[in-house]
Amino acid sequence: MNKLLLAMMGIMMAGMAGAKLPPPSEEAKAKAEEARAKAAWSDKVASYQLCVAQDKVAARFKKTGSTAAAASMPAAGPAVPAAAPAATTPAAAGTPPATGAASAAGAAPGA
């Protein structure tokens, strides 16, 4: 009970302290606006630098061609056969599917 009362008093004090803060001065507003402008400018610079780096990569790719990129890739493993098409209506066949997950889901809970 005492901890709850103490926590509520702390919340009330924090609320009162926040309510008593004066509005920011003109100097503080100007400083905040300057910080926002600097952040926006640095975002634009970073975006430009990313664009330049992507252009360099694209130019190198065009220059060397896609065969050089394909040669550096590891060789493909054995081909995986396509899966058999699944039955669209297993209930129409009269028997449930014989897969492990489906047969486990269809089993009785006590079995």
Side-chain angles (χ1 to χ4, degrees):
M1 181 70 179
N2 287 338
K3 289 182 183 180
L4 179 63
L5 184 60
L6 185 61
M8 289 179 66
M9 291 293 288
I11 291 172
M12 288 188 336
M13 291 293 191
M16 286 190 289
K20 292 182 181 179
L21 291 176
S25 66
E26 293 300 319
E27 182 180 320
K29 288 180 185 178
K31 194 177 242 186
E33 182 61 35
E34 183 180 350
R36 275 192 291 273
K38 283 183 180 181
W41 175 255
S42 57
D43 287 345
K44 288 179 183 179
V45 169
S47 178
Y48 174 75
Q49 289 173 344
L50 175 64
C51 184
V52 168
Q54 289 174 339
D55 286 344
K56 286 181 183 179
V57 170
R60 190 176 71 206
F61 179 77
K62 287 179 183 178
K63 182 179 176 184
T64 60
S66 61
T67 57
S72 66
M73 291 184 184
V80 178
T88 56
T89 55
T95 59
T99 61
S103 62

